[in-house]
Amino acid sequence: MPEISKRGEQSPFSPIRKLVDFADEAKAKGVKVYHLNIGQPDFKVPPKIREEIKKISSVDYLPYANSQGEKELLLAWQKYLQDIDIQVETKDIAITTGGSEALIMTMAAICDPGDEIIVFEPYYANYFGFANLVSVEVVPVELDSKNGYHLPSEEIIRSKISSRTRAIFITNPNNPTGTVFTKSEIELIIKIAKENNLFVVSDEAYLGITFDHTTSYSILHIIPETDIKRAIVVDSLSKRLNVCGARIGAIVSKNEEVMSVVNRQAQARLSTSTIEQRIVAPQLKDCLSYIEEIAERYQNRRDAFIGPLEKELNIKIHRPEGAFYTMVELPVKDADEFAKWLLTDFRENGETVMVAPGSGFYATPGRGKNEIRVAYVLKEEDLEKAAILLAKGAKAYQKISR
Ligand SMILES: Cc1ncc(COP(=O)(O)O)c(C=O)c1O
């Protein structure tokens, strides 16, 4: 038989989804599973989008959309950016199939096979999978829970840059840590990018979802006009408008060459979905109050989860400033085995909890072994229950794995 490619062989499993079969087996046996493994909130679709879904039910034709994106949505994205004090033209935007496609296209547009990108670790695990698709090396800069996963010194960041480095990737607010990088941290990244002639790719899927009066800055708020062409924003409506399944994202950049490549890539894949672009545009045009509202609800959810878990396990957990994730260090040796065991063996009144093992969010071997990533996307009462279940599970596992 012909062999699969080396790239295919090295394609990683998603740490967020790799335990799904075990969860399905548990559910088939009647076990209730609290899902903390995936950033898929249980909020209802915003009313304006529901209205658009109703309207669209009478379509007779379903054509391809424009490759760059439907005019209506491009204008809506421009308006949203204008509302947060970012001025761009519609030619600076390309609509993509989620932030996921935006990341793949961006990597393909700025990197050749074997080139390197700097990422801050722990990082959004799928960066590794996307980099694999385009044969790009992920070079991690280690972040530390002790300072809330904020940036390390500039010397440490610089030490990871080689002649093959093409870009520094920053996720702000961050998944999986929930950290919101400050203005001066973003300025530092821009400074290092400038010194080394690099792009800065800013993944802003969670922009605006912040807590305790923290502000999240887009790279486009901060980068000076002289360096604006280094900046590429990867954006997504999945979380901000709570429409993960619509698969709508964007690339925003004032670099004409980058946008020309992105538009050619977009033409090659014809278009992204037509209906979904139409149903989200009216909400995006006027969405700041919705984002504020969900941010407040996530803050309550964060507290509903972290408080009981800290108390039950007698540990201190980093309180994230934004997004809806946190990394948690548990008193277990192997969080991969623990996460699987929670699904296969652990039950408390017919219930268990599903988490994402931490190791998949790191490229450095050995890191994240005793960590999990939690997405606090359930109702507060469910999160409290899930936190207690998780703590009980960790204690029980500690005993049997000694
Ligand atoms: C940081 C980050 N970037 C990008 C994505 C991709 O999201 P989507 O493809 O749904 O837009 C996610 C999804 O969880 C994410 O957390």
Side-chain angles (χ1 to χ4, degrees):
M1 286 299 266
E3 284 179 11
I4 57 167
S5 65
K6 295 235 162 24
R7 181 195 296 124
E9 233 168 65
Q10 289 161 7
S11 179
F13 283 99
S14 159
I16 301 154
R17 290 176 177 256
K18 69 180 180 183
L19 299 173
V20 166
D21 288 348
F22 298 108
D24 287 346
E25 271 174 44
K27 283 187 236 176
K29 289 181 196 149
V31 177
K32 179 169 169 63
V33 180
Y34 290 94
H35 280 273
L36 304 180
N37 60 306
I38 188 161
Q40 181 157 274
D42 66 350
F43 294 142
K44 279 197 178 148
V45 174
K48 220 183 261 173
I49 297 183
R50 267 186 276 162
E51 270 169 43
E52 294 300 317
I53 293 173
K54 278 187 205 138
K55 278 192 214 158
I56 216 96
S57 65
S58 60
V59 291
D60 288 322
Y61 299 101
L62 191 47
Y64 288 120
N66 178 284
S67 297
Q68 185 199 349
E70 291 280 274
K71 183 97 191 165
E72 191 63 23
L73 184 57
L74 290 167
L75 288 167
W77 221 297
Q78 183 189 30
K79 162 76 169 45
Y80 153 71
L81 290 169
Q82 203 176 342
D83 286 349
I84 58 167
D85 292 328
I86 293 172
Q87 314 304 329
V88 299
E89 295 178 45
T90 50
K91 70 174 175 48
D92 305 325
I93 308 171
I95 307 300
T96 56
T97 309
S100 303
E101 190 186 47
L103 284 159
I104 299 165
M105 282 182 167
T106 300
M107 287 181 192
I110 62 174
C111 299
D112 284 314
D115 281 348
E116 296 171 0
I117 56 171
I118 302 286
V119 299
F120 295 98
E121 170 187 272
Y123 53 84
Y124 174 52
N126 288 328
Y127 286 175
F128 206 51
F130 300 148
N132 164 274
L133 274 179
V134 290
S135 300
V136 164
E137 298 295 322
V138 166
V139 177
V141 172
E142 295 181 23
L143 301 177
D144 191 345
S145 62
K146 289 190 192 69
N147 72 344
Y149 302 99
H150 280 275
L151 294 188
S153 70
E154 48 183 295
E155 289 69 37
I156 293 181
I157 303 173
R158 275 204 201 94
S159 73
K160 301 289 177 168
I161 294 170
S162 78
S163 59
R164 296 227 65 165
T165 310
R166 304 289 298 142
I168 302 176
F169 277 58
I170 178 165
T171 314
N172 191 33
N174 191 277
N175 172 10
T177 62
T179 305
V180 177
F181 294 104
T182 62
K183 194 166 178 229
S184 53
E185 285 177 296
I186 300 171
E187 282 166 349
L188 175 64
I189 289 171
I190 295 167
K191 180 178 150 207
I192 297 172
K194 188 174 175 167
E195 282 166 7
N196 295 278
N197 197 19
L198 306 175
F199 287 102
V200 180
V201 179
S202 184
D203 181 338
E204 300 177 1
Y206 302 89
L207 198 78
I209 305 181
T210 60
F211 316 134
D212 311 318
H213 310 290
T214 308
T215 303
S216 53
Y217 293 99
S218 166
I219 184 80
L220 296 176
H221 284 129
I222 293 177
I223 199 157
E225 202 52 40
T226 46
D227 282 298
I228 196 96
K229 292 190 179 186
R230 297 186 189 285
I232 304 173
V233 171
V234 164
D235 207 357
S236 165
L237 301 188
S238 291
K239 320 292 165 140
R240 282 207 309 272
L241 296 193
N242 196 32
V243 284
C244 292
R247 314 300 309 125
I248 300 292
I251 295 174
V252 184
S253 175
K254 292 205 175 190
N255 184 316
E256 297 90 358
E257 270 178 275
V258 167
M259 290 314 288
S260 164
V261 176
V262 165
N263 280 315
R264 279 176 270 159
Q265 294 169 337
Q267 287 171 11
R269 62 78 160 110
L270 305 179
S271 82
T272 190
S273 57
T274 308
I275 286 184
E276 271 85 349
Q277 291 192 64
R278 290 187 191 162
I279 62 169
V280 296
Q283 175 78 46
L284 179 61
K285 238 186 275 176
D286 186 14
C287 62
L288 298 193
S289 58
Y290 179 77
I291 297 168
E292 242 175 68
E293 182 194 316
I294 59 168
E296 202 180 312
R297 294 176 73 183
Y298 284 127
Q299 182 173 326
N300 294 337
R301 288 174 171 209
R302 174 196 69 176
D303 297 339
F305 178 77
I306 291 184
L309 188 62
E310 281 183 325
K311 195 162 149 234
E312 289 288 321
L313 286 178
N314 198 19
I315 55 173
K316 193 92 200 95
I317 299 170
H318 160 65
R319 257 192 183 51
E321 299 113 36
F324 38 72
Y325 304 97
T326 188
M327 295 295 288
V328 182
E329 278 176 35
L330 288 175
V332 299
K333 281 201 199 83
D334 185 337
D336 277 86
E337 281 304 313
F338 170 63
K340 186 173 154 206
W341 174 86
L342 283 173
L343 296 169
T344 53
D345 289 68
F346 177 70
R347 309 285 180 256
E348 176 86 6
N349 299 323
E351 297 184 336
T352 192
V353 56
M354 182 169 181
V355 296
S359 58
F361 297 87
Y362 290 88
T364 306
R367 284 201 86 200
K369 273 309 251 184
N370 65 341
E371 286 177 76
I372 55 165
R373 188 207 65 173
V374 164
Y376 39 94
V377 288
L378 308 176
K379 287 179 199 58
E380 273 136 84
E381 59 268 30
D382 286 349
L383 283 168
E384 272 172 47
K385 279 191 213 154
I388 292 167
L389 271 174
L390 181 61
K392 284 191 174 160
K395 284 185 209 159
Y397 189 73
Q398 231 181 345
K399 278 193 196 133
I400 61 160
S401 60
R402 260 192 199 128

